């Protein structure tokens, strides 16, 4: 019980975050048809993770809750129909997450309330639940129900965020199986991880707009795509699927992307294709981390992948948004297919090289 409640609160918060992010992606795609504007959403969410913000759990988590309230106000049409409000709210939401995530993780680890394994499991299961709710709640109550439930899912972690840090002595007296997460500023960048992040960041930055405008789909379709991909990543992280050469995941993802546009393929078939895409994406992550052995232990290598991938994702989202703004949204998918094919040639190598120390 000592670990169960904090771990459940952590997983609930991750579900609330995923639900809020997914719902806002769909909301912005309805407010603006501009690919560039839609690509700004993931950029504004991820940008704060690269800024030297103070690590303050209470202030950061409070900012996330305040941002969720602003989004709820947008869904109730209290702020008008301007796309500025959800974009601003997502920037503040990302700032709050950057300020609160690391101290909350450290508090859970130092107080022996959770392990890194349970936190990662909470991340995976919470994101799956949030993505699923993104699709299921919209037909029932549209964005109002989405944001109201997102806010409720965030609340169970609030007592931990406002509590004074406890278990400080546990850092020296309780041995950890793995080193705790490090601040992003102390984690080196790695070239191939950055390029892979650029690839996946560009893939998902326009997904909601693509589903709405090109695929003529609904928020349910969008939520199911996110859920299928997330489920695939979860399965891939458990070792599900065959072992593949390093280039194969990129080639296969590109082929699956192209096949989503096959004539006669039903909508549910296109959704299901994102399941093996998620498995392959997780495999490419694992292979890349395994090739970075010279950079440190496994925990540090995963953090290098996450930080480098996040920075690459920022560039990828802006790049595909700008290109699609000029050449049209329908060209985004062929460009992505070509990018995955090129990645199969450029990314597979044995040893990673850091960009900075």
């Amino acid at each position: 019980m000592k670990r169960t409640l904090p771990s459940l609160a952590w997983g609930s918060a991750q579900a609330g975050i995923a639900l809020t992010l997914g719902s806002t992606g769909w909301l912005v795609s309805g407010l603006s048809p501009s690919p560039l504007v839609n690509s700004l959403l993931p950029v504004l969410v991820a940008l704060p993770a690269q800024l030297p913000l103070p690590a303050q759990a209470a202030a950061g988590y409070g900012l996330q809750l305040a941002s969720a309230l602003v989004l709820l106000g947008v869904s109730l049409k209290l702020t008008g129909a301007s796309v500025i409000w959800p974009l601003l709210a997502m920037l503040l939401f990302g700032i709050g997450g950057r300020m609160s995530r690391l101290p909350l993780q450290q508090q859970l680890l130092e107080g022996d309330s959770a392990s890194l394994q349970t936190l990662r499991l909470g991340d995976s299961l919470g994101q799956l639940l949030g993505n699923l709710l993104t699709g299921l709640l919209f037909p029932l109550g549209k964005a109002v129900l989405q944001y109201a439930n997102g806010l409720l899912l965030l609340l169970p972690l609030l007592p931990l965020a406002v509590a004074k840090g406890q278990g400080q002595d546990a850092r020296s007296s309780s041995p950890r199986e793995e080193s705790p997460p490090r601040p992003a500023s102390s984690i080196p960048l790695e070239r191939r991880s950055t390029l892979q992040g650029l690839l996946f960041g560009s893939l998902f930055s326009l997904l909601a707009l693509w589903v709405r405008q090109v695929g003529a789909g609904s928020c349910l379709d969008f939520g199911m795509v996110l859920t299928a991909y997330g489920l695939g990543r979860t399965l891939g992280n458990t070792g599900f699927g065959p072992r593949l050469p390093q280039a194969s995941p990129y080639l296969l993802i590109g082929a699956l992307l192209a096949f989503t546009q096959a004539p006669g393929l039903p909508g549910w078939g296109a959704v299901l294709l994102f399941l093996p895409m998620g498995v392959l994406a997780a495999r490419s992550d694992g292979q890349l981390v395994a090739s970075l052995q010279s950079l440190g232990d496994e925990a540090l290598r995963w953090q290098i992948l996450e930080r480098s991938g996040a920075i690459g994702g920022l560039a990828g989202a802006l790049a595909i948004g700008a290109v699609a703004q000029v050449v049209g949204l329908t060209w985004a998918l062929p460009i992505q297919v070509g990018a995955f094919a090129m990645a199969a040639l450029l990314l597979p190598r044995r040893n990673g090289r850091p960009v900075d120390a």
Side-chain angles (χ1 to χ4, degrees), residues 80-112:
S82 173
V83 74
I84 296 298
W85 287 106
L87 291 177
L88 177 60
M90 280 291 95
L91 175 61
L92 297 178
F93 197 82
I95 291 174
R98 169 69 174 87
M99 293 171 62
S100 62
R101 183 175 175 86
L102 185 60
L104 285 173
Q105 285 180 327
Q106 290 177 333
Q107 188 170 336
L108 287 167
L109 292 172
E110 292 168 2
D112 203 31

Side-chain angles (χ1 to χ4, degrees), residues 185-189 307 354-357:
S185 58
S186 68
I187 300 172
L189 298 180
R307 186 195 176 206
V355 175
D356 56 5

